Amino acid sequence: MFPGASEYGVDIAVDDGAVEELLQVSPNDVEAPPALTFSRNVFIPLTTACRYTCTYCTYFDPPGQASLLSLEEIRDICRRGADAGCTEALFTFGDDPDDRYTEIHDQLEEWGHDSIHTYLREACEVALEEGLLPHANPGDQTREQLATVADVNASMGVMLETTAEVGAHAGPRRKVPGQRLRTLKNAGELDVAFTTGILVGIGENWRDRAESLLAIRELHDRYDHIQEVIVQPVVENERWSGGSPDLATMRQVTAMARVALPEEISVQVPPNLAPAKDLIDCGVDDLGGVSPVTDDHINPDYTWPALRELEEIAAHAGVPLGERLPVYERFLPSDLRTAGFDGR
C-alpha cells in the first residue's frame, strides 16, 4: 500500500513480480510509434497560490504575492488562443489554496465564490464561449470538487509525480501520494477523461518509478479513463539545483512507461523539458500541449518549441505528425469520431 492511500480511501497495491519484470525493461523492448501527435493550447495560470511548497516548483507564489486572473483576463487569453488556431484552454494552478492565502480567498469572495473550484467552473465556461475546450489541472481534488467542474471540461489531469515519499515534497504542507491517487480514483468514478504522469528525478528510485506506473495502470484497468501519461524530467530552475535525469535514465523510464501501460494510453514527453528527439524510439507517441501564444507558466525558463521544431522531431523519427484535441477521440461520442477511428 502506498503512503496515505488507505487514509484517502484508495485500495491499491501492485504485484511485486510485475514490478521486478518492469525493472528489467530497456529501450530495446519497445518500438517507435506509427505517428506523433500534439495539442495546440493556451496556458491560463488561474492562480499561483498553492497549499504545497515543493522544492522543485517555481510556479507557486507565497501568500501576499500570489495572483488570481480575472474573467476578463481569461477571456482575452482565450481569444488570442482561438485566433492562433488553438483548441485547448489549459487551466493551471497550484493545489487548492489553504487558509494562508487570505487575499486570494477575499478576492474569490468579492467575485461571488466560496472556493477556487466554483471560480474554475466559471472560467471554463468563458473558454467554451470563446471556442476552446477546457483542460483543467486543479491538483488534488475530492470527489465533490472534481464533480463541480468535470462537466465543463473536455478532459482533466493531475500529475501523480510519484507514489514514494520524497524529500522534494518535504515541509509542513507536504504532498502525499495517497491524495494524488485519490484524485485519479475520483476521476475514474466520475468517468472523466484524464491525464496524469510521473516526475523523474525528484528523489524517487527505480522501484518507485515502476510502482508509480503500475499504480496508474491499476486504476486505469478499473475505470478505463486515463488517456495519456506524461514522463517528465525535473529541470534546473531558481528553486531546484538538484540536477535533471540524464538521457539514459529518461530512455529507460520512458520504455518502462510504454511497457507498463496498455496501448490505448499515449506516452507523452514535454518537448521543452525532455530530449524528445532521442525518446521517440522508446515508445513516445505524443508531444503534449504546445502553445503558440503563451509561455509554459510552470517552467517559464523553458520555451515552447515552434511547430517547425515539432515537425523536425517527427521527421527525425520518420513518422507523421498530427494535431489532436485535448480529449482523445476514444472518449468522444461515436457520432463525433473521425472515419476510420482506430481506438485511440
Side-chain angles (χ1 to χ4, degrees):
M1 186 67 72
F2 301 113
S6 59
E7 177 184 352
Y8 289 97
V10 184
D11 179 16
I12 185 170
V14 298
D15 180 72
D16 285 342
V19 172
E20 293 302 326
E21 288 183 13
L22 194 55
L23 289 172
Q24 303 307 311
V25 167
S26 78
N28 294 329
D29 296 316
V30 298
E31 297 180 355
L36 273 174
T37 55
F38 75 101
S39 171
R40 200 184 306 245
N41 71 15
V42 285
F43 256 58
I44 304 175
L46 192 68
T47 180
T48 58
C50 184
R51 64 175 55 248
Y52 300 125
T53 53
C54 301
T55 60
Y56 49 82
C57 181
T58 60
Y59 182 77
F60 73 90
D61 288 324
Q65 299 178 27
S67 61
L68 180 66
L69 290 183
S70 68
L71 293 181
E72 291 75 18
E73 291 172 310
I74 293 166
R75 191 176 298 277
D76 178 67
I77 295 170
C78 289
R79 284 180 176 171
R80 288 192 288 118
D83 288 344
C86 298
T87 60
E88 175 181 353
L90 174 59
F91 287 96
T92 60
F93 51 93
D95 289 65
D96 194 9
D98 62 18
D99 292 341
R100 298 173 302 139
Y101 287 93
T102 56
E103 293 181 9
I104 294 297
H105 290 291
D106 289 345
Q107 184 65 76
L108 287 170
E109 184 177 1
E110 181 180 329
W111 289 342
H113 295 276
D114 61 3
S115 77
I116 192 70
H117 281 79
T118 60
Y119 185 57
L120 171 60
R121 181 179 181 85
E122 194 169 356
C124 290
E125 289 171 346
V126 168
L128 289 167
E129 290 168 3
E130 297 301 327
L132 299 183
L133 296 174
H135 174 94
N137 288 263
D140 295 330
Q141 298 162 84
T142 65
R143 185 185 174 97
E144 293 72 24
Q145 289 171 330
L146 188 59
T148 299
V149 295
D151 66 320
V152 290
N153 275 270
S155 59
M156 297 184 69
V158 67
M159 290 289 283
L160 172 60
E161 297 190 6
T162 179
T163 51
E165 291 188 305
V166 293
H169 290 162
R173 295 172 298 279
R174 66 182 305 129
K175 193 176 288 180
V176 179
Q179 292 173 301
R180 298 309 235 205
L181 291 167
R182 176 191 63 179
T183 300
L184 267 66
K185 176 177 178 283
N186 289 338
E189 291 177 344
L190 292 170
D191 198 26
V192 177
F194 214 69
T195 293
T196 189
I198 61 171
L199 192 54
V200 184
I202 57 172
E204 81 291 348
N205 60 35
W206 280 102
R207 187 175 187 85
D208 297 329
R209 294 165 185 163
E211 290 180 346
S212 298
L213 291 166
L214 291 171
I216 294 170
R217 169 65 185 259
E218 167 66 20
L219 288 169
H220 175 75
D221 285 346
R222 293 184 198 178
Y223 303 109
D224 190 30
H225 66 307
I226 303 297
Q227 60 177 10
E228 59 189 4
V229 169
I230 305 167
V231 180
Q232 179 175 323
V234 67
V235 291
E236 294 276 334
N237 57 52
E238 62 186 44
R239 287 179 177 158
W240 178 260
S241 57
S244 298
D246 60 20
L247 179 58
T249 296
M250 286 301 298
R251 284 181 59 80
Q252 183 171 348
V253 71
T254 303
M256 287 168 59
R258 183 63 282 166
V259 170
L261 302 168
E263 184 180 358
E264 69 267 16
I265 296 179
S266 281
V267 172
Q268 176 191 130
V269 292
N272 62 324
L273 304 177
K277 187 177 291 187
D278 298 314
L279 297 174
I280 305 304
D281 66 324
C282 298
V284 172
D285 60 2
D286 188 74
L287 297 174
V290 176
S291 181
V293 295
T294 54
D295 293 335
D296 180 348
H297 293 285
I298 298 174
N299 299 282
D301 294 336
Y302 297 85
T303 306
W304 289 120
L307 177 58
R308 180 190 69 257
E309 295 172 83
L310 299 184
E311 292 171 341
E312 290 173 355
I313 292 171
H316 181 266
V319 298
L321 177 70
E323 191 169 349
R324 62 166 176 81
L325 297 175
V327 58
Y328 279 65
E329 193 164 353
R330 69 188 182 90
F331 294 101
L332 295 174
S334 57
D335 60 333
L336 295 179
R337 296 174 185 172
T338 57
F341 173 64
D342 65 359
R344 271 283 172 106

